[in-house]
Amino acid sequence: MNYDHQIDKALNALHAEGRYRVFQDISRINGEYPKANWVQTDGTQTEITVWCGNDYLGMGQSPEVISALKKSIDSAGVGSGGTRNISGNTVFHKELEKELAELHQKDAALLFTSAYNANEATLSALPKLFPNLVILSDELNHASMIEGIRHGNCEKQIFRHNDVKHLRQLLETIDPSRPKIIAFESLYSMDGDFAPIEEICDLADEFNALTYIDEVHAVGMYGAKGGGVCEMLNLSSRIDIFNGTLAKAYGVIGGYIAASPRFVDAIRSYAPGFIFTSSLPPALAAAATKSVRLLKENTEIRKKHQDIAKQLKLRFRGLGLPFDDHGSHIVPIHVGDPVKCKMISDRLLNDYGIYVQPINFPTVPRGTERLRFTPSPVHTQEMVDILVNAMDELWSHCELSRLKITA
């Protein structure tokens, strides 16, 4: 076996398909997000505008959040000192968990190093708690949920995306005495569509199933206090386990689950992904706590965020660009060709100073390649104008079809 040859063959295949991933080196500019510096291979730097970031509200550069981080570093240092069960449990972690539990109207929460870790660790531990468990999973669930279910080694049933009729059909085939968990997301990040949460909860009640929801792309941005789509729809009490992140709307890092104290205690005690992982640094926990508290009170920033997203979609629609509009803040423009998708991304960066990464297979199915824009309340009107004009020119240059514009 020539191992180098096999590696080259695999990488060349990605190049040939136009979906080889190039990581651009960028350096965010403190206090000026979404501005950043693009660091090129020769060391030169060019100022660009980030249009694909998941720091949805710009909280990663909030002066109050930065101050909380600095203050906690001065008092507690940098690292956590180890795993929570040995040497890494601090008042910073406990304060953050209290805020997150209240955010989702639950009595307990458990902090992880990332939302991916939280999903994988929790979903893989649940079969240990419920022998003969069946997990029913939406087909478009995030990779972390898929991996968690796989590692749990329990029976899984995949229902078609947001298809409650198909979910019912699957539930009807399962022995009523078996434990069941329905795992889904509130907001799916690649298309920007919402789950039929109430209908899924109705089925869970009817078939005596538990509900596990990933609110990663919604916490901080929806609901009166930023508790996500469930809070917005007054459905938080019907969810058994929430998963969320601190790395997107809250602008820091980390993930968590929120549930009953019994559930949280069980996951804390049975999930290797929690037990054997060093805990989040106290300073990051303190920064996240400050961000959560700020966004619980700041309803205006959520309104501005939605207004900018609506404006961008209106402008794109006026150009006839094909995109999904499900009412969320995520704006995916469908290119449908990996080579042209990468070409537009490169031209936006090189010619217009606009940074948006192409989304290709396996993140999305082949033939649905797209540019995923995430407008934020810190994007200015001038930035919107530059982006819209650039997309208009490049769409024509690539000879891509446009939708017929109707009055």
Side-chain angles (χ1 to χ4, degrees):
M1 167 66 73
N2 186 325
Y3 294 102
D4 288 341
H5 174 73
Q6 286 301 117
I7 292 173
D8 289 341
K9 182 179 178 181
L11 291 174
N12 288 336
L14 295 179
H15 282 287
E17 291 183 42
R19 60 183 185 92
Y20 178 78
R21 295 172 187 251
V22 177
F23 293 169
Q24 303 290 352
D25 294 332
I26 69 169
S27 176
R28 290 173 24 133
I29 305 170
N30 187 20
E32 296 186 31
Y33 186 74
K35 290 292 186 180
N37 285 321
W38 173 36
V39 185
Q40 300 172 56
T41 54
D42 62 359
T44 60
Q45 296 188 22
T46 304
E47 188 175 86
I48 59 172
T49 302
V50 178
W51 273 99
C52 58
N54 283 344
D55 186 356
Y56 290 134
L57 303 177
M59 295 298 292
Q61 296 186 6
S62 159
E64 295 95 333
V65 174
I66 293 173
S67 176
L69 179 75
K70 290 179 177 179
K71 183 178 179 181
S72 59
I73 288 177
D74 289 339
S75 66
V78 178
S80 65
T83 61
R84 294 277 292 275
N85 62 312
I86 295 179
S87 56
N89 198 49
T90 72
V91 294
F92 298 99
H93 296 92
K94 295 177 70 174
E95 286 182 6
L96 178 53
E97 288 172 343
K98 181 179 178 181
E99 289 291 336
L100 294 170
E102 192 274 338
L103 180 69
H104 294 288
Q105 302 170 39
K106 297 298 178 186
D107 293 324
L110 189 65
L111 186 62
F112 291 80
T113 54
S114 71
Y116 189 108
N117 181 220
N119 267 334
E120 196 280 331
T122 303
L123 286 165
S124 63
L126 290 173
K128 301 175 185 177
L129 306 176
F130 305 108
N132 203 27
L133 175 68
V134 181
I135 298 182
L136 300 105
S137 174
D138 188 288
E139 67 175 339
L140 293 189
N141 277 343
H142 190 264
S144 58
M145 301 176 75
I146 295 170
E147 287 301 302
I149 295 168
R150 180 180 294 131
H151 292 161
N153 293 316
C154 69
E155 181 182 344
K156 64 179 178 181
Q157 298 279 352
I158 310 299
F159 61 93
R160 290 187 292 272
H161 179 53
N162 282 347
D163 190 335
V164 291
K165 291 183 179 179
H166 187 219
L167 176 58
R168 169 180 286 280
Q169 291 170 1
L170 294 177
L171 286 165
E172 288 173 342
T173 66
I174 301 171
D175 185 335
S177 65
R178 293 185 65 181
K180 297 169 285 292
I181 293 177
I182 304 172
F184 61 109
E185 301 182 38
S186 64
L187 173 56
Y188 292 84
S189 65
M190 287 300 106
D191 292 320
D193 58 327
F194 296 98
I197 301 174
E198 185 170 14
E199 292 91 330
I200 290 175
C201 289
D202 289 342
L203 286 176
D205 291 344
E206 181 179 348
F207 289 91
N208 191 28
L210 298 174
T211 49
Y212 182 105
I213 194 166
D214 179 314
E215 286 255 40
V216 160
H217 291 276
V219 289
M221 296 174 288
Y222 298 86
K225 295 184 177 181
V229 181
C230 287
E231 184 195 22
M232 180 178 70
L233 300 177
N234 295 314
L235 296 172
S236 295
S237 63
R238 304 189 65 183
I239 300 297
D240 294 296
I241 306 177
F242 283 94
N243 169 276
T245 187
L246 302 163
K248 293 183 170 58
Y250 295 114
V252 191
I253 191 68
Y256 63 90
I257 61 167
S260 70
R262 182 180 290 105
F263 254 121
V264 167
D265 192 25
I267 298 302
R268 180 186 69 87
S269 302
Y270 277 87
F274 174 81
I275 297 169
F276 299 105
T277 300
S278 292
S279 62
L280 204 66
L284 291 173
T289 300
K290 184 63 175 181
S291 187
V292 171
R293 287 172 176 168
L294 287 171
L295 287 184
K296 282 182 177 179
E297 302 298 327
N298 192 345
T299 57
E300 185 58 32
I301 195 171
R302 283 188 281 278
K303 181 181 182 301
K304 186 177 180 181
H305 185 211
Q306 292 295 323
D307 288 344
I308 293 292
K310 289 177 182 177
Q311 181 192 149
L312 183 62
K313 286 185 280 191
L314 182 65
R315 298 284 297 277
F316 280 161
R317 184 176 290 110
L319 297 178
L321 301 187
F323 69 93
D324 294 322
D325 185 3
H326 298 283
S328 75
H329 62 282
I330 295 170
V331 188
I333 299 288
H334 288 271
V335 180
D337 180 290
V339 175
K340 290 184 177 180
C341 195
K342 179 67 166 60
M343 181 191 302
I344 293 175
S345 173
D346 289 344
R347 288 285 303 275
L348 283 171
L349 184 60
N350 284 284
D351 299 348
Y352 301 93
I354 293 170
Y355 177 61
V356 57
Q357 284 287 73
I359 307 294
N360 294 329
F361 178 85
T363 306
V364 295
R366 285 186 173 89
T368 68
E369 292 82 8
R370 66 199 66 181
L371 297 169
R372 177 182 174 272
F373 295 95
T374 51
S376 76
V378 291
H379 283 98
T380 66
Q381 184 63 58
E382 181 183 8
M383 293 174 184
V384 172
D385 291 341
I386 293 171
L387 171 62
V388 170
N389 291 334
M391 285 296 293
D392 188 19
E393 292 179 18
L394 291 175
W395 209 259
S396 296
H397 175 77
C398 290
E399 297 181 335
L400 292 165
S401 62
R402 302 183 188 238
L403 299 176
K404 183 178 180 181
I405 304 172
T406 57

